[in-house]
Amino acid sequence: MARKPDNREPGKNRVTLQQVAELAGVSAMTVSRALNNDAHITPATRERVIQAASALQYHPNLSARRLAAARSFIIGLLYDDPTTGYFSELLIGSLNKSHAAGYHLVIEPFTSEYKDVDNLKDRINHLNLDGVIIPERVGTHKPVTEILKKLGLPLVRVAPPTTENNSPCVFIDNQKAAFEMTEYLISLGHTNIGFIKGHALETSAILRFQGYKNALLKHGLPFSKKNVMQGDFSYKSGLKCSQKLLSLRYRPTAVFASNDYMAAAVITTAHIKGLRIPENLSVAGFDDIPFASTTEPQLTTVNQPVAAMGAAAVGLLVDIINDSSLMETSAAIYKQLDYKIVIRGSTAPVNKKP
């Protein structure tokens, strides 16, 4: 059956700001300020306004909102590799939080080539962003943060190279997490533990390696350079490194890889070599991205709350955008999230007779 044409005048039945104000029992100005995340609106009033707007299915005019607030309500997320599970999790958390805060999220490609750094200022200006989220690998390029600061744009780094006197950031304690995972493997009786490093230029990789070494030192175990391979966080590098590790005359009884992709590669190599996991070899990873629970066996790993880190970064950025006074002290704003050691089937007590 054909639908009857809608002859109503455009906008005739549109819910107005005043209607939301009347239902919430506040002024129209208070509704506007609450929906724009004004820092001076109390949480109780903001919640009342949001409930009223939701009940009336009120959708503010974005163009009018931008003009009134002199903002674009657009946040940028720079990236250099959109194919990884890590970035996917970061993006999900950032998108959900941006939507909840009334902002649009724009993802903008960036690589380490000089032309990208040189053109970054023009690209940022063209997008008319209110603020920017910078993941770790992008943040290793100092010109990026320098350009954004010159533009006066609020920015928040995720897993930054350093938290000292730079800019607001969200992170976990990578060194401590890697220490605890190594210590867990030691508790299972493993004394010959291999390690696959992450990208040589990324601080998280350096900290995870340091945590591994510190755990060996604490428990009086020898550190062997032969047991350490340089990867780059990719599955391909994990295959190359694990082939070398598992071909050693005195091969490790456990391998700790700096991320889940490389740990999955260790499992693949072990299967090819006829090694049973975890009977002949224990394997541990880092990040706990979704496929970590789909490997065979499922992967023991460090749960880094990547989606929560993305959400926290957006929340922190919106706070700074809404309260300009925070810009003066934003370098001191750090948010450290918790991690968890997730024990699954890829690790077990050392088998003395493999």
Short mmCIF file of all heavy atoms in Angstrom, two decimals, residues 35-64:
data_model
loop_
_atom_site.label_atom_id
_atom_site.label_comp_id
_atom_site.label_asym_id
_atom_site.label_seq_id
_atom_site.Cartn_x
_atom_site.Cartn_y
_atom_site.Cartn_z
N LEU A 35 23.10 21.38 27.52
CA LEU A 35 23.34 20.55 26.34
C LEU A 35 24.68 20.84 25.69
O LEU A 35 25.20 20.04 24.91
CB LEU A 35 22.21 20.75 25.31
CG LEU A 35 20.83 20.25 25.76
CD1 LEU A 35 19.79 20.53 24.69
CD2 LEU A 35 20.86 18.75 26.08
N ASN A 36 25.27 22.00 26.02
CA ASN A 36 26.59 22.35 25.52
C ASN A 36 27.69 22.01 26.52
O ASN A 36 28.83 22.47 26.38
CB ASN A 36 26.66 23.84 25.16
CG ASN A 36 25.97 24.15 23.85
OD1 ASN A 36 26.28 23.52 22.84
ND2 ASN A 36 25.05 25.10 23.84
N ASN A 37 27.31 21.22 27.56
CA ASN A 37 28.27 20.76 28.56
C ASN A 37 28.97 21.89 29.30
O ASN A 37 30.17 21.83 29.59
CB ASN A 37 29.32 19.84 27.91
CG ASN A 37 28.72 18.57 27.38
OD1 ASN A 37 28.01 17.86 28.10
ND2 ASN A 37 28.98 18.27 26.12
N ASP A 38 28.23 22.94 29.58
CA ASP A 38 28.78 24.06 30.34
C ASP A 38 29.22 23.57 31.72
O ASP A 38 28.46 22.91 32.44
CB ASP A 38 27.71 25.16 30.50
CG ASP A 38 28.28 26.44 31.08
OD1 ASP A 38 28.90 26.38 32.15
OD2 ASP A 38 28.09 27.51 30.45
N ALA A 39 30.46 23.87 32.08
CA ALA A 39 31.03 23.37 33.33
C ALA A 39 30.34 23.94 34.57
O ALA A 39 30.47 23.39 35.68
CB ALA A 39 32.53 23.71 33.39
N HIS A 40 29.59 25.02 34.42
CA HIS A 40 28.95 25.66 35.56
C HIS A 40 27.55 25.11 35.85
O HIS A 40 26.91 25.51 36.82
CB HIS A 40 28.88 27.18 35.35
CG HIS A 40 30.22 27.83 35.22
ND1 HIS A 40 30.80 28.06 33.99
CD2 HIS A 40 31.10 28.24 36.15
CE1 HIS A 40 31.98 28.62 34.18
NE2 HIS A 40 32.20 28.74 35.47
N ILE A 41 27.06 24.22 35.01
CA ILE A 41 25.76 23.58 35.24
C ILE A 41 25.96 22.38 36.15
O ILE A 41 26.83 21.54 35.90
CB ILE A 41 25.11 23.14 33.91
CG1 ILE A 41 24.88 24.35 33.00
CG2 ILE A 41 23.82 22.41 34.16
CD1 ILE A 41 23.89 25.36 33.54
N THR A 42 25.17 22.28 37.19
CA THR A 42 25.33 21.17 38.14
C THR A 42 24.96 19.84 37.48
O THR A 42 24.11 19.81 36.57
CB THR A 42 24.45 21.36 39.39
OG1 THR A 42 23.07 21.28 39.00
CG2 THR A 42 24.72 22.70 40.04
N PRO A 43 25.56 18.76 37.92
CA PRO A 43 25.24 17.44 37.35
C PRO A 43 23.75 17.11 37.45
O PRO A 43 23.18 16.52 36.52
CB PRO A 43 26.09 16.48 38.19
CG PRO A 43 27.25 17.30 38.66
CD PRO A 43 26.68 18.67 38.89
N ALA A 44 23.11 17.49 38.54
CA ALA A 44 21.69 17.19 38.72
C ALA A 44 20.84 17.92 37.69
O ALA A 44 19.91 17.36 37.10
CB ALA A 44 21.25 17.57 40.14
N THR A 45 21.17 19.20 37.46
CA THR A 45 20.42 19.98 36.47
C THR A 45 20.67 19.44 35.06
O THR A 45 19.73 19.32 34.26
CB THR A 45 20.84 21.47 36.53
OG1 THR A 45 20.55 21.98 37.83
CG2 THR A 45 20.10 22.28 35.49
N ARG A 46 21.91 19.11 34.77
CA ARG A 46 22.23 18.58 33.44
C ARG A 46 21.46 17.28 33.19
O ARG A 46 20.93 17.06 32.10
CB ARG A 46 23.74 18.34 33.31
CG ARG A 46 24.14 17.78 31.93
CD ARG A 46 25.64 17.57 31.80
NE ARG A 46 26.34 18.84 31.71
CZ ARG A 46 27.07 19.37 32.68
NH1 ARG A 46 27.21 18.71 33.82
NH2 ARG A 46 27.67 20.53 32.52
N GLU A 47 21.40 16.42 34.20
CA GLU A 47 20.70 15.15 34.07
C GLU A 47 19.21 15.38 33.84
O GLU A 47 18.57 14.70 33.03
CB GLU A 47 20.92 14.29 35.31
CG GLU A 47 20.23 12.93 35.28
CD GLU A 47 20.73 12.04 34.16
OE1 GLU A 47 21.87 12.24 33.70
OE2 GLU A 47 19.96 11.17 33.73
N ARG A 48 18.63 16.35 34.55
CA ARG A 48 17.21 16.66 34.37
C ARG A 48 16.93 17.17 32.96
O ARG A 48 15.93 16.79 32.34
CB ARG A 48 16.78 17.72 35.42
CG ARG A 48 15.27 17.81 35.59
CD ARG A 48 14.86 18.45 36.91
NE ARG A 48 15.17 19.86 36.96
CZ ARG A 48 16.10 20.41 37.72
NH1 ARG A 48 16.84 19.65 38.52
NH2 ARG A 48 16.31 21.72 37.72
N VAL A 49 17.82 17.98 32.44
CA VAL A 49 17.66 18.51 31.09
C VAL A 49 17.79 17.40 30.05
O VAL A 49 17.00 17.30 29.11
CB VAL A 49 18.70 19.62 30.81
CG1 VAL A 49 18.72 19.98 29.32
CG2 VAL A 49 18.39 20.85 31.65
N ILE A 50 18.77 16.53 30.25
CA ILE A 50 18.98 15.43 29.31
C ILE A 50 17.77 14.50 29.29
O ILE A 50 17.33 14.03 28.23
CB ILE A 50 20.26 14.65 29.68
CG1 ILE A 50 21.50 15.52 29.41
CG2 ILE A 50 20.35 13.33 28.89
CD1 ILE A 50 22.79 14.89 29.88
N GLN A 51 17.21 14.21 30.46
CA GLN A 51 16.03 13.35 30.53
C GLN A 51 14.83 13.99 29.83
O GLN A 51 14.08 13.31 29.12
CB GLN A 51 15.69 13.04 31.99
CG GLN A 51 16.68 12.11 32.67
CD GLN A 51 16.30 11.81 34.11
OE1 GLN A 51 15.29 12.29 34.61
NE2 GLN A 51 17.12 11.00 34.78
N ALA A 52 14.67 15.30 30.01
CA ALA A 52 13.57 16.01 29.35
C ALA A 52 13.76 16.00 27.84
O ALA A 52 12.81 15.76 27.08
CB ALA A 52 13.49 17.44 29.87
N ALA A 53 14.98 16.26 27.39
CA ALA A 53 15.27 16.27 25.96
C ALA A 53 15.03 14.90 25.35
O ALA A 53 14.50 14.76 24.25
CB ALA A 53 16.71 16.73 25.72
N SER A 54 15.40 13.86 26.10
CA SER A 54 15.22 12.49 25.62
C SER A 54 13.75 12.14 25.54
O SER A 54 13.29 11.52 24.57
CB SER A 54 15.96 11.52 26.54
OG SER A 54 15.76 10.19 26.13
N ALA A 55 12.99 12.53 26.58
CA ALA A 55 11.56 12.22 26.60
C ALA A 55 10.81 12.89 25.46
O ALA A 55 9.87 12.32 24.89
CB ALA A 55 10.97 12.66 27.94
N LEU A 56 11.24 14.09 25.10
CA LEU A 56 10.58 14.83 24.02
C LEU A 56 11.21 14.56 22.66
O LEU A 56 10.75 15.08 21.64
CB LEU A 56 10.65 16.34 24.31
CG LEU A 56 9.86 16.82 25.53
CD1 LEU A 56 10.15 18.29 25.79
CD2 LEU A 56 8.36 16.59 25.33
N GLN A 57 12.27 13.73 22.65
CA GLN A 57 13.01 13.43 21.41
C GLN A 57 13.48 14.73 20.76
O GLN A 57 13.34 14.94 19.56
CB GLN A 57 12.14 12.61 20.44
CG GLN A 57 11.78 11.24 20.99
CD GLN A 57 11.03 10.39 19.99
OE1 GLN A 57 10.34 10.91 19.11
NE2 GLN A 57 11.15 9.07 20.09
N TYR A 58 14.08 15.57 21.61
CA TYR A 58 14.57 16.86 21.12
C TYR A 58 15.93 16.69 20.48
O TYR A 58 16.83 16.09 21.06
CB TYR A 58 14.67 17.85 22.29
CG TYR A 58 15.35 19.16 21.92
CD1 TYR A 58 14.71 20.09 21.10
CD2 TYR A 58 16.62 19.45 22.39
CE1 TYR A 58 15.33 21.29 20.77
CE2 TYR A 58 17.24 20.64 22.06
CZ TYR A 58 16.60 21.55 21.25
OH TYR A 58 17.23 22.73 20.91
N HIS A 59 16.09 17.21 19.28
CA HIS A 59 17.36 17.17 18.57
C HIS A 59 17.77 18.60 18.24
O HIS A 59 17.15 19.24 17.38
CB HIS A 59 17.25 16.37 17.28
CG HIS A 59 16.79 14.96 17.51
ND1 HIS A 59 17.61 14.00 18.06
CD2 HIS A 59 15.59 14.35 17.29
CE1 HIS A 59 16.95 12.86 18.16
NE2 HIS A 59 15.72 13.04 17.71
N PRO A 60 18.79 19.13 18.92
CA PRO A 60 19.19 20.51 18.68
C PRO A 60 19.71 20.72 17.26
O PRO A 60 20.29 19.80 16.67
CB PRO A 60 20.28 20.75 19.72
CG PRO A 60 20.81 19.40 20.04
CD PRO A 60 19.62 18.48 19.94
N ASN A 61 19.48 21.89 16.75
CA ASN A 61 19.99 22.27 15.43
C ASN A 61 21.50 22.45 15.55
O ASN A 61 21.98 23.35 16.24
CB ASN A 61 19.34 23.57 14.97
CG ASN A 61 19.75 23.95 13.57
OD1 ASN A 61 20.92 24.20 13.33
ND2 ASN A 61 18.79 23.99 12.67
N LEU A 62 22.26 21.59 14.88
CA LEU A 62 23.71 21.59 15.04
C LEU A 62 24.33 22.90 14.56
O LEU A 62 25.24 23.44 15.18
CB LEU A 62 24.33 20.40 14.29
CG LEU A 62 25.84 20.22 14.44
CD1 LEU A 62 26.21 20.07 15.91
CD2 LEU A 62 26.32 19.02 13.65
N SER A 63 23.82 23.43 13.46
CA SER A 63 24.39 24.68 12.94
C SER A 63 24.19 25.81 13.93
O SER A 63 25.09 26.61 14.18
CB SER A 63 23.73 25.03 11.59
OG SER A 63 24.01 24.05 10.63
N ALA A 64 22.98 25.89 14.51
CA ALA A 64 22.71 26.93 15.48
C ALA A 64 23.57 26.73 16.73
O ALA A 64 24.07 27.69 17.32
CB ALA A 64 21.23 26.92 15.87
#
